Amino acid sequence: MPASSPSFADVFGRPPEAQAQAPGRVNLLGEHTDYQGGFVLPSAIPQHTVVALARNGGDTHHLYSLNYGERLDVPAGETGTGFAPYVTGCCALTGVKDALDVWISSDVPSGGLSSSAALEIATLRALRTLYDLPLTDVDLALIGQRVEHEFVGVRSGIMDQMASSLADTRHMLFLDTRTLERQKLPLPAGGEVVVLDSGVPRRLAGSGYNTRRSEVEEAARRLGVSELRDVPDVAALASLPDLLLRRARHVVSENARVLLALHAPAPLFGELMNASHASLRSDYEVTVPRVDELVALLQAHPDVYGARMTGAGFGGAVVALARIGTAGQVARDVLAQYGPEGQQVVPPPYPESESAKSSGLTRTSGAEGRGN
Ligand code: GLA
């Protein structure tokens, strides 16, 4: 960010009353399983979103995004458009009626790395601080998910908000999305995470996502289970028509891969990532050609154990597991082959001190560990 970027005080003429931040996430394994009660293995990425806010005493929210260089004015109590619903939804669901001045800055790339969840969790943390709300970190995740459903219109699972609220960059968060039981596990022994942005904007991601969700709900209904989590084996799917069989086979096989991966060393973990990508490409059909190419380049690199798309798909980011100590070089090698639209995300290509600009308040609240 340039040093001249306007701070909260530059935009609103006084310091903020509260500020918080929350990270994006990369999902290492367990894709499109979290709305069928399945298992996921996300980790936080170093990039994060910062939200600073203060009551303005009026009746209109002023929402300033440093990234867009744009201010949206939304009457308090209304939802608004663009990035506004992520913030106004958080206000509505926490019962905040005041009109707010809000300043947002983020270095989480959009597309597969949960920039939306990072904005929701950072906003909710700032509101929790300002109003001293008795909410745990899990409560924040559940509210963030309701913002997606009720204000944004994407029927997302719970993975992204749980990861942004509870994960860190040094572990993977093994989450049972049915019970929300969770455990922090070390990253696969001998491996190092690489995340690249394909530069392919996600088109129709919301509608494609909701369609997939309806398809697997229909598969579960036909099989007589409440969620595909309860299907023990792909052999049990034989009665389904072809399309639903392939969709369900992805979910059931992906859950099995996560359980195999929990304590796997990097070479086995990498194989499971490769199998996950093949399943997302052929059975779930949420990849696009350029993402498949980027994954293939990573998989062909001699220092890479495995690679796959990450997040909802339809464009966006990819993740790989590289031999320890090689991640930066792998990212540079592969991007040189892929082309200029690709971008290195992890390891960050810049010093962490230059990540999302702070609003001007010195202390920023992150995870506060309120008993969860
Ligand atoms: C999006 C959703 C998540 C999850 C992933 C796919 O990121 O927000 O809930 O379903 O897609 O695994």
Side-chain angles (χ1 to χ4, degrees):
M1 297 283 166
S4 58
S5 304
S7 66
F8 184 100
D10 294 332
V11 178
F12 295 114
R14 65 193 191 293
E17 291 181 273
Q19 173 174 312
Q21 66 179 46
R25 67 96 188 93
V26 59
N27 188 23
L28 301 181
L29 204 62
E31 213 65 85
H32 286 284
T33 57
D34 69 341
Y35 44 86
Q36 283 293 312
F39 306 111
V40 295
L41 273 180
S43 180
I45 58 173
Q47 290 83 355
H48 56 270
T49 297
V50 180
V51 170
L53 44 83
R55 289 164 278 215
N56 66 28
D59 53 15
T60 301
H61 295 303
H62 303 305
L63 313 176
Y64 177 78
S65 160
L66 190 61
N67 296 70
Y68 297 127
E70 183 187 12
R71 193 179 104 177
L72 301 178
D73 295 334
V74 183
E78 292 186 16
T79 301
T81 56
F83 63 87
Y86 295 98
V87 178
T88 56
C90 291
C91 292
L93 294 179
T94 51
V96 169
K97 304 237 179 320
D98 294 327
L100 303 173
D101 289 345
V102 181
W103 178 101
I104 303 162
S105 168
S106 183
D107 62 351
V108 181
S110 62
L113 300 170
S114 290
S115 52
S116 311
L119 175 54
E120 289 150 8
I121 299 300
T123 303
L124 289 166
R125 283 178 173 166
L127 292 174
R128 177 169 70 181
T129 301
L130 180 58
Y131 292 99
D132 202 18
L133 302 173
L135 298 170
T136 67
D137 292 340
V138 172
D139 293 334
L140 299 194
L142 291 166
I143 295 169
Q145 184 193 27
R146 282 184 60 201
V147 170
E148 294 283 342
H149 289 203
E150 297 170 29
F151 292 83
V152 180
V154 176
R155 297 173 64 216
S156 68
I158 191 61
M159 167 173 68
D160 300 350
Q161 290 78 14
M162 284 293 281
S164 185
S165 193
L166 292 148
D168 63 56
T169 55
R170 298 175 314 283
H171 298 89
M172 36 191 202
L173 183 72
F174 172 44
L175 174 69
D176 178 334
T177 63
R178 173 178 281 172
T179 63
L180 299 190
E181 278 175 75
R182 60 204 173 273
Q183 195 184 351
K184 281 190 178 174
L185 298 174
L187 293 167
E192 199 177 354
V193 173
V194 178
V195 180
L196 305 178
D197 185 348
S198 70
V200 181
R202 293 197 303 157
R203 293 213 176 79
L204 297 176
S207 57
Y209 184 92
N210 287 343
T211 305
R212 292 298 176 282
R213 187 167 173 152
S214 305
E215 288 164 351
V216 291
E217 283 168 357
E218 172 65 11
R221 199 183 61 72
R222 289 186 187 219
L223 293 166
V225 292
S226 68
E227 293 177 310
L228 293 179
R229 149 78 175 271
D230 297 318
V231 175
D233 194 81
V234 292
L237 305 173
S239 63
L240 292 173
D242 181 63
L243 181 95
L244 296 186
L245 186 145
R246 288 188 293 117
R247 301 294 191 253
R249 184 166 60 197
H250 167 71
V251 177
V252 173
S253 64
E254 187 79 349
N255 277 330
R257 282 187 284 275
V258 172
L259 297 179
L260 276 174
L262 296 181
H263 302 285
L268 173 57
F269 198 102
E271 276 177 39
L272 295 164
M273 293 172 90
N274 291 344
S276 168
H277 186 78
S279 175
L280 288 158
R281 185 187 58 226
S282 308
D283 277 352
Y284 221 61
E285 296 181 288
V286 290
T287 72
V288 297
R290 283 294 271 163
V291 165
D292 290 334
E293 280 171 45
L294 186 53
V295 166
L297 289 172
L298 283 160
Q299 289 174 344
H301 194 290
D303 287 324
V304 169
Y305 293 117
R308 55 184 289 275
M309 58 149 274
T310 187
F314 308 98
V318 307
V319 60
L321 195 65
R323 193 163 55 79
I324 202 140
T326 67
Q329 193 57 49
V330 164
R332 288 187 290 278
D333 291 348
V334 166
L335 288 176
Q337 291 173 275
Y338 176 74
E341 70 271 36
Q343 269 194 22
Q344 183 177 334
V345 180
V346 177
Y350 50 80
E352 276 194 41
S353 58
E354 285 174 28
S355 74
K357 189 179 157 54
S358 148
S359 68
L361 241 196
T362 41
R363 200 180 55 77
T364 296
S365 72
E368 286 172 6
R370 297 192 175 199
N372 299 320

